[in-house]
Amino acid sequence: MRGVKSGSILTRKALADVMRRKGRTALMVLGILIAVMGLTAVNQANDLIGAAFLYSANPASVPTISFLVDKLPPTIASTLARLPDVERFQLSTQLLTYWHVAGQSKAATIQITDYQDVYQQPLGTFQLTSGHLPGPDEIVMDVSDRTVHTVALGDSVTLNTPDGHTLSLRVVGLARTQGRALLVVKTQGLAYISTAVLQQLAASGKSEVHGSGHLPFLGTQIMVQTQNAVPTAPTYQAMARILDDAHIPIYDSFSASSSSIVQAELIVSGLLNIVRILAVVALLLVCLMIINTVTTVLSEQIRIIGAMKALGGTRWQIMSSYLLSVEIYGVIGTVLGIVGGLYICTEVASVVTTQTAADLGPFQISPRVILLSAAAGLLVPLLAALLPLWLGTRITVREAISAYGVQAGSSRQTYAWGRHFFWIPQTFWLGVRGLFRKPGQAALTLLTLILSIAVFMAVQVTNESIGATAVHQMNMYESDVVVTASSTENAAFSRQLISAMQSLPNVARVEPLDEATVTLSARQLHVIGLLANTRVYHPQLVAGRWLTAEEQDTFVSNDYAAERLHLHVGGYVTLSAGTKQVRWQLVGIVHETNDVAGSSNPTGQVGDAFTSLATLNLSLRDVPADASSHWYVQVHDHSHADLQQTVDGIQQRVNNLKGEDVSVDAPTLTPQQGPGVLVAIYSLFDTVAVLVALVGLLGLSHTLSASVIERRLEIGILRSLGATGWRVSLVFWIEGLALTVIAWAVGTALGLPGGNGMVNVLDTFIQPFDVAVSPLLIGSTLPFAIVVSFVASVGPALSASRVRISETLRYE
């Protein structure tokens, strides 16, 4: 077997091995296909979704300081631009107004910005994802607007103008705004129109600056980006003094924090790294299956190996023949896997786009992803096959010729067990003893199944924990209707509104609430002012006590803030809000995860704190004790019709009080979109978990198929003794079930701490999540594993039931 002739013989043998064992070929190809498909889908989705998140969180075009004024004289603009720490300075015309789409009556607020050259303006950059830039009577909507109204190209959008009229514009483009996740936008929508249209609106009527934020308002937006690593507060205060000295009223303003930028980058990087690790686990499981398969093939063909060596075949020549078979599996599985992975990626991207109303940008196939998947599908199977081939082909000619081939193995101990447990059917022992025939093969199969179940369990624990935390945060306040003003209303308006809402027959309770952001030990803390005897918020106290109505200057912190900032019940802390400083006493600590940044963000927010509304207003903001911007309403009858009638009644009373910038919303009547990043986590994690489960299914199916081949003599004996096909197939059902139950027990024991570990990693990058493991989740994985065992055993069991006695007599 030397030269061209031996090469041709070995090639034909490799092709024969692929074609002769169609079931094994299908399993090998499917395993490689699934691994490559998962790797392709995950990496392509990471590139696509990750790039979209990074674009949305890119600080390059986001102003760190912004002021909205009526008009800005050129001399004042020049003075502001020359301040020391100002790196970029840009002016734009901005319209804050109401909008609605034709056929959709509900109006919402929107921020409309003009542009002169979208490709040259450094701040406020946006990218068209469909359509074209707007001309006269045209508008481009941000893709995030689809969470407010169902808007598409060609729709007609109606705007309220400052002179009291309406303006109808046609949607000619959809765009995504760079840094949208970091922008402080206080309206529900974002759009762009040409400068000429806004100048025409400016000439048609004059806007008035209202301290309460009434719309519409047309003015000039001052956008400033300060130098890197420079605190924005001094520059913000200097610009505010300049505008105040020039008697220029400020309609709105903000000063961004670098912590939000860091947090966005951590979320994206942490999420993608975890998913990549899960994809690598799927690839490792395929390697185990390949090792198992090659070992079985070599066991079957010991005599053939001996014959090839007797004819002069070298060890490397024999190995190359088997490697060629593996490479054929790899080529077929890789090609199909790459195609399937790209398809899955488009489906995952579609789910994320639909659920988050985000635009992921144009779908582009990454050459890096294709090369990585091809390398994994073609090289990894070869590397996995090298070790069993090297060990299997070292057999001598004499050992190979004298070997039986696929051995039945010893079952004396099993029979001993059977005699002790005589009441257990013999069919059960025939199935169970298959576990001990090939300990090495059984160990590899169990390892594959254990890892599959452990990963599946860990992913389910993680998703359940994320979901439970998200549900808690979205339902943090027990209310049926939420009434919100764009800014804190005066006390008289708040009292009138509460009285008007309480007069409605279905209203059971109305509670005012307001909020502010303070600085504590250089970290941002979100302070919520509510009634001390609140019924809309239910605190989970872990230390100290809750607020009382009689006391002042006290607050309750969340446990994460208390831990990170070393706060203790009974201690006094100094809080800062702008130039205002207060000293409050900490009287209690509650468990709360809302507004807490990941622990790896050293400047991120540390969550929520609670104080009485009177303390928030009198001590921190110097406004009347009962001033508020949020009102939470609880109703008696929660039926859809009565709740809708209550919402309409509240809206009518808001209109009667001329609350022009007050929104009324009933969460149960309006479908709520979940947080975008959580939808991406669910989609990616579940995709990888399903792929890992499929690899485990293929590994079990391959092991049972090999068991059928190994036990053909035994099957023939059973059939000759009168065993039916069903009885024979039941033996292999039991073998698969036994492997699955063992793997489920060990995999569950590993999956629970694994899920806890994944949650802890997400805590580091995203935010704290409460680990949620329900008994139903643990119990449901056993039926899932049994179903996997059933599906994996179908082919081998049917194959065993169809074996004829005459075929077993010709075996060997």
Side-chain angles (χ1 to χ4, degrees):
M1 290 184 62
R2 288 181 172 84
V4 177
K5 184 176 180 180
S6 64
S8 176
I9 292 173
L10 291 174
T11 300
R12 289 199 301 271
K13 178 191 178 300
L15 293 174
D17 285 342
V18 173
M19 300 300 295
R20 187 166 61 96
R21 297 291 191 189
K22 296 182 177 60
R24 175 176 296 151
T25 297
L27 289 175
M28 288 285 287
V29 169
L30 276 175
I32 297 172
L33 183 155
I34 290 173
V36 173
M37 183 169 60
L39 199 63
T40 303
V42 167
N43 284 327
Q44 182 66 33
N46 281 352
D47 283 1
L48 187 65
I49 299 174
F53 281 143
L54 290 175
Y55 185 89
S56 178
N58 189 342
S61 65
V62 177
T64 52
I65 296 174
S66 175
F67 291 92
L68 184 60
V69 299
D70 185 11
K71 291 182 180 180
L72 185 68
T75 55
I76 302 300
S78 178
T79 301
L80 296 174
R82 289 198 302 267
L83 288 175
D85 295 328
V86 173
E87 183 174 358
R88 290 179 178 176
F89 183 88
Q90 183 177 312
L91 301 177
S92 66
T93 305
Q94 192 172 99
L95 172 65
L96 303 181
T97 187
Y98 295 99
W99 71 292
H100 69 271
V101 180
Q104 302 179 38
S105 58
K106 183 179 179 180
T109 57
I110 191 169
Q111 171 184 308
I112 302 176
T113 306
D114 76 329
Y115 71 95
Q116 296 178 354
D117 187 344
V118 69
Y119 304 105
Q120 296 297 325
Q121 58 186 19
L123 301 178
T125 300
F126 64 90
Q127 178 189 49
L128 280 172
T129 58
S130 59
H132 59 82
L133 294 174
D137 301 326
E138 294 176 342
I139 188 170
V140 167
M141 308 296 293
D142 189 272
V143 292
S144 62
D145 299 339
R146 292 181 296 193
T147 59
V148 182
H149 286 310
T150 305
V151 60
L153 294 178
D155 286 347
S156 178
V157 173
T158 301
L159 308 175
N160 293 357
T161 62
D163 61 356
H165 296 85
T166 58
L167 176 66
S168 181
L169 302 176
R170 187 167 62 92
V171 179
V172 296
L174 294 174
R176 56 177 186 169
T177 303
Q178 190 174 31
R180 178 69 177 87
L182 306 177
L183 284 175
V184 181
V185 179
K186 298 183 178 180
T187 58
Q188 297 168 284
L190 188 63
Y192 303 92
I193 59 179
S194 66
T195 303
V197 175
L198 278 184
Q199 288 177 345
Q200 180 182 358
L201 290 176
S204 65
K206 178 177 175 60
S207 296
E208 295 182 1
V209 178
H210 299 279
S212 60
H214 292 166
L215 304 181
F217 174 77
L218 179 65
T220 300
Q221 184 187 23
I222 305 168
M223 293 184 289
V224 174
Q225 199 170 62
T226 55
Q227 296 178 6
N228 291 334
V230 174
T232 58
T235 304
Y236 174 85
Q237 294 170 0
M239 296 182 74
R241 284 194 299 268
I242 292 173
L243 294 173
D244 186 58
D245 293 342
H247 305 289
I248 299 176
I250 299 173
Y251 180 84
D252 194 13
S253 66
F254 73 83
S255 175
S257 170
S258 60
S259 64
S260 58
I261 297 174
V262 174
Q263 184 63 24
E265 293 173 346
L266 287 172
I267 288 174
V268 176
S269 61
L271 166 63
L272 301 190
N273 287 336
I274 291 174
V275 175
R276 287 191 181 102
I277 292 173
L278 293 177
V280 171
V281 170
L283 191 61
L284 291 176
L285 292 178
V286 173
C287 291
L288 293 177
M289 190 184 73
I290 292 172
I291 293 174
N292 211 347
T293 301
V294 173
T295 302
T296 303
V297 171
L298 294 176
S299 298
E300 292 177 7
Q301 300 187 7
I302 289 178
R303 283 193 167 185
I304 296 176
I305 294 173
M308 288 190 291
K309 282 195 171 185
L311 294 174
T314 65
R315 191 175 187 180
W316 171 246
Q317 286 176 325
I318 297 172
M319 286 179 61
S320 64
S321 173
Y322 290 102
L323 287 174
L324 179 59
S325 298
V326 174
E327 190 63 13
I328 293 173
Y329 301 144
V331 170
I332 299 173
T334 299
V335 173
L336 297 177
I338 290 176
V339 174
L342 294 176
Y343 173 76
I344 289 178
C345 177
T346 58
E347 294 300 309
V348 172
S350 175
V351 170
V352 174
T353 301
T354 302
Q355 295 296 323
T356 65
D359 199 311
L360 302 182
F363 185 88
Q364 296 178 343
I365 298 176
S366 171
R368 179 189 63 82
V369 172
I370 302 301
L371 291 175
L372 181 61
S373 297
L378 298 177
L379 297 180
V380 171
L382 291 177
L383 295 175
L386 282 177
L387 179 61
L389 283 174
W390 179 258
L391 297 176
T393 55
R394 68 182 177 180
I395 190 171
T396 65
V397 175
R398 180 179 179 180
E399 292 171 337
I401 297 301
S402 62
Y404 175 78
V406 178
Q407 299 179 6
S410 174
S411 56
R412 294 178 181 175
Q413 189 64 35
T414 305
Y415 287 138
W417 292 349
R419 288 195 297 269
H420 287 298
F421 300 96
F422 57 88
W423 47 272
I424 299 179
Q426 188 65 29
T427 304
F428 174 83
W429 291 118
L430 289 173
V432 171
R433 78 173 190 170
L435 301 177
F436 306 99
R437 298 170 62 88
K438 291 292 183 100
Q441 186 182 51
L444 287 175
T445 303
L446 279 174
L447 182 59
T448 303
L449 286 173
I450 287 169
L451 289 177
S452 298
I453 293 174
V455 170
F456 185 84
M457 173 68 76
V459 168
Q460 298 311 309
V461 170
T462 303
N463 281 352
E464 184 169 347
S465 301
I466 293 172
T469 304
V471 168
H472 168 73
Q473 292 178 353
M474 287 188 289
N475 301 306
M476 184 174 173
Y477 301 104
E478 184 182 343
S479 65
D480 303 297
V481 183
V482 180
V483 183
T484 307
S486 62
S487 60
T488 302
E489 294 287 352
N490 58 63
F493 179 87
S494 181
R495 286 193 294 268
Q496 292 173 0
L497 179 59
I498 292 175
S499 177
M501 290 189 292
Q502 287 178 335
S503 66
L504 292 170
N506 194 34
V507 172
R509 183 178 177 86
V510 180
E511 285 194 21
L513 182 148
D514 216 334
E515 54 192 4
T517 300
V518 302
T519 301
L520 174 60
S521 300
R523 302 291 290 273
Q524 287 189 339
L525 185 66
H526 185 219
V527 179
I528 299 171
L530 37 65
L531 300 182
N533 61 341
T534 178
R535 294 183 187 175
V536 300
Y537 177 71
H538 302 285
Q540 302 179 40
L541 281 169
V542 296
R545 60 173 176 81
W546 185 244
L547 306 165
T548 62
E550 298 78 16
E551 61 190 6
Q552 293 290 325
D553 297 338
T554 60
F555 77 108
V556 173
S557 172
N558 73 80
D559 47 353
Y560 292 95
E563 179 182 355
R564 295 179 185 180
L565 302 180
H566 308 291
L567 306 178
H568 303 283
V569 174
Y572 287 84
V573 297
T574 301
L575 309 174
S576 302
T579 59
K580 181 78 172 180
Q581 286 190 340
V582 296
R583 185 172 173 82
W584 290 352
Q585 183 184 24
L586 179 66
V587 297
I589 298 175
V590 296
H591 175 66
E592 196 63 66
T593 61
N594 197 40
D595 292 321
V596 181
S599 59
S600 59
N601 184 359
T603 62
Q605 285 190 329
V606 289
D608 292 343
F610 303 88
T611 188
S612 65
L613 183 61
T615 295
L616 178 72
N617 288 334
L618 296 175
S619 177
L620 190 64
R621 302 192 301 179
D622 296 327
V623 297
D626 51 355
S628 178
S629 64
H630 298 77
W631 299 269
Y632 288 87
V633 181
Q634 295 177 338
V635 301
H636 295 291
D637 193 332
H638 296 84
S639 66
H640 186 279
D642 287 335
L643 185 57
Q644 184 64 60
Q645 185 178 3
T646 303
V647 170
D648 295 339
I650 293 174
Q651 185 65 64
Q652 182 179 2
R653 280 154 178 75
V654 168
N655 295 337
N656 293 340
L657 294 173
K658 301 188 182 304
E660 299 178 6
D661 201 15
V662 177
S663 63
V664 181
D665 180 53
T668 58
L669 299 180
T670 306
Q672 300 294 308
Q673 297 285 352
V677 67
L678 299 187
V679 174
I681 293 175
Y682 285 143
S683 303
L684 292 175
F685 279 12
D686 283 339
T687 299
V688 177
V690 169
L691 292 175
V692 169
L694 286 176
V695 174
L697 182 149
L698 291 176
L700 177 60
S701 182
H702 167 264
T703 298
L704 294 178
S705 298
S707 182
V708 171
I709 296 173
E710 293 171 358
R711 302 170 69 176
R712 294 172 80 89
L713 287 175
E714 184 178 313
I715 294 172
I717 295 173
L718 290 174
R719 296 301 301 272
S720 65
L721 293 175
T724 63
W726 165 250
R727 184 75 175 269
V728 172
S729 63
L730 186 60
V731 171
F732 295 93
W733 287 111
I734 294 174
E735 182 178 344
L737 182 61
L739 284 169
T740 302
V741 171
I742 295 173
W744 172 82
V746 180
T748 300
L750 295 176
L752 293 178
N756 185 70
M758 289 181 64
V759 172
N760 289 335
V761 173
L762 293 178
D763 289 354
T764 303
F765 290 103
I766 301 177
Q767 69 162 68
F769 294 98
D770 292 328
V771 177
V773 183
S774 66
L776 180 62
L777 173 64
I778 299 175
S780 64
T781 56
L782 180 57
F784 169 79
I786 293 175
V787 170
V788 168
S789 171
F790 178 84
V791 174
S793 306
V794 167
L798 289 177
S799 176
S801 66
R802 294 174 180 175
V803 173
R804 298 179 180 179
I805 299 176
S806 58
E807 294 175 354
T808 63
L809 295 178
R810 291 196 301 267
Y811 185 66
E812 290 287 345

